[in-house]
Amino acid sequence: MTTSTTAPFATDWAAWHDAHEAARASEHGFLAITSIRWLRAEPERFEDVPGAWSTAEDGPVVALDPGQSIEVDGQVVTGTHRFGSLAERSGVDAVWRDGDETVVIEVARRGGSDIIRPRRPSAPLRTSYRGTPAYAPDPAFAVEARFEPFDEPREVTVGSVVDGLQHVYTAPGVLRFDLDGPRTLTAFNGHGDGLLVLFTDRTSGVTTYAATRSLDVPAPDASGRTTVDFNRATNLPCAYTPHATCPLPPAENRLDVAVEAGERLPA
């Protein structure tokens, strides 16, 4: 592999990575998560959120104490609030003013269960974060690819960093490209018309996070052409915090090549 870079390529990558780092370390980004709570039918109290929390057939419920309030969709809520049934991998934020600090409580559904994850700006993981090292951007790892759609999109079940938890993704097709030989990756539906790839490779567990890396791929053109730019491979939250439910790649996305590009193991 070559290690040369062109100035525009490196500049564009640096701007992208700076923005990605800023989002990761934002006041209520995943580094600010203080816990993950798996809700049950019996109401429970937790030290880092107000009220008593539970789940029912119609979704998560919080019963706030007298004098307590949260904001949901910009509306102040007191007493008992029902969040409604949540779709898988969806969620809603509840805002809690805890003294001088604004805490965002993520209310979400993961792996068939309802959860809450408070996000506090003063969380030690966030305040101590000093950035994630990455490989120098290399155009050799931005490869042309061809998207081949399946006859019908497929539901693909993958594991999770949480034992026993599974995630289901819709896979519209595969990406074919050359990287020291022909390679194939199963692609999931991503943001907008784009694709999402979860993968591991020969660097996994050595210089990059062992469980998985994530990569957004631009929407293919009318001919199925797109670019798989491994320089923009990122760590999922599970590389930093135990309060994550990150998916694992499907078995076929374990690349037998060293992808020395993108984010490395967190420092």
Side-chain angles (χ1 to χ4, degrees), residues 159-237:
S160 166
V161 294
V162 177
D163 287 344
L165 190 69
Q166 293 183 322
H167 296 279
V168 179
Y169 285 86
T170 300
V174 298
L175 290 162
R176 298 190 185 276
F177 56 94
D178 188 278
L179 187 65
D180 280 359
R183 311 289 173 190
T184 303
L185 287 171
T186 295
F188 299 147
N189 288 337
H191 301 293
D193 294 330
L195 302 171
L196 169 68
V197 167
L198 302 173
F199 73 97
T200 57
D201 63 278
R202 287 185 183 176
T203 70
S204 301
V206 183
T207 57
T208 63
Y209 182 56
T212 185
R213 283 197 284 168
S214 175
L215 180 61
D216 290 323
V217 177
D221 66 16
S223 299
R225 293 174 299 183
T226 187
T227 299
V228 177
D229 187 356
F230 288 103
N231 295 283
R232 302 197 179 196
T234 61
N235 295 326
L236 289 175

Side-chain angles (χ1 to χ4, degrees), residues 38 88-89 109-115 164-168 245:
W38 300 84
E88 183 64 31
R89 293 198 302 279
R109 190 165 182 82
R110 298 291 184 270
S113 297
D114 290 326
I115 65 169
L165 190 69
Q166 293 183 322
H167 296 279
V168 179
T245 62

Side-chain angles (χ1 to χ4, degrees), residues 5 8 12 14 32 48 84 97 113 121 137 148 197 202 226 248 254:
T5 61
D12 288 349
D48 49 358
R97 316 290 180 184
S113 297
E148 296 183 359
V197 167
R202 287 185 183 176
T226 187
L248 301 177
R254 297 167 185 168

